[in-house]
């Protein structure tokens, strides 16, 4: 229900969008998602020791065993994360399922800062997420390899360097993709 409210969706059988009409307030978000064909959700109240791999375990626990291609949990320079993470879902339906299954539930470890809270992120799409986080974490002196984003293709984790080379032109042009991994 919440996800439908975020998207401002109302069922309308004569709609050109498969029975979905978009509220004008969400036109920008909807256009972005249609352009990227994916949607990124921000997952809040993470236990402070969780990595992206831990978030993948939680996704699986809630029956989400694929349908996403990017998982990232930002970390402080100290030994804890910032309390939130990002998951880019390949379809609006997969994101809706994640929101429905996880929002308001408890973390497996029981050490979260509260119930799982899901909200729409500002950046959508694998390439856009890689570009956004590139300057923040994918650089010498940035996060350790354990705190890098996880990237998946067809449900299988791929090396971050490959994803950067495919999706970020500066890595292709400058040959920098091999340094991250």
């Amino acid at each position: 229900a919440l996800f439908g409210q975020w998207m401002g969706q109302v069922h309308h059988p004569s709609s050109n969008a498969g029975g979905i009409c978009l509220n004008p307030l969400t036109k920008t978000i909807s256009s972005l998602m249609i352009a990227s064909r994916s949607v990124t959700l921000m997952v809040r109240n993470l236990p402070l020791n969780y990595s992206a791999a831990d978030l993948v375990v939680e996704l699986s626990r809630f029956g989400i065993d694929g349908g996403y291609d990017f998982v990232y949990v930002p970390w402080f320079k100290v030994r804890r994360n910032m309390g939130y993470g990002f998951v880019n879902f390949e379809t609006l339906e997969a994101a809706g399922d994640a929101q429905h299954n996880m929002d308001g539930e408890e973390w497996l470890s029981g050490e979260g800062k509260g119930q799982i809270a899901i909200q729409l992120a500002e950046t959508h799409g694998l390439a856009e997420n890689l570009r956004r986080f590139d300057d923040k974490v994918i650089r010498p002196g940035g996060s350790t390899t354990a705190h890098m984003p996880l990237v998946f293709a067809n449900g299988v984790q791929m090396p971050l360097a490959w994803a950067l080379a495919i999706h970020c032109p500066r890595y292709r042009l400058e040959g920098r993709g091999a340094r991250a991994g």
Side-chain angles (χ1 to χ4, degrees), residues 120-132:
L120 197 59
E122 293 178 12
T123 302
H124 302 277
L126 175 59
E128 290 303 315
N129 275 296
L130 286 169
R131 284 186 209 110
R132 177 172 173 94

Side-chain angles (χ1 to χ4, degrees), residues 86-105:
F86 300 93
V87 181
N88 185 67
F89 291 91
E90 296 169 310
T91 66
L92 181 60
E93 293 78 17
D97 289 347
Q99 186 277 327
H100 176 77
N101 293 347
M102 294 179 70
D103 195 61
E105 297 295 329

Side-chain angles (χ1 to χ4, degrees), residues 127-176:
E128 290 303 315
N129 275 296
L130 286 169
R131 284 186 209 110
R132 177 172 173 94
F133 297 107
D134 175 33
D135 291 331
K136 295 180 181 183
V137 297
I138 307 170
R139 63 174 190 266
S143 293
T144 65
T145 302
H147 302 145
M148 294 288 192
L150 301 179
V151 180
F152 300 85
N154 300 316
V156 177
Q157 187 176 347
M158 68 186 301
L160 183 58
W162 293 6
L164 290 169
I166 293 167
H167 297 286
C168 296
R170 76 184 191 131
Y171 282 86
R172 273 195 307 268
L173 297 174
E174 298 174 15
R176 293 174 47 188

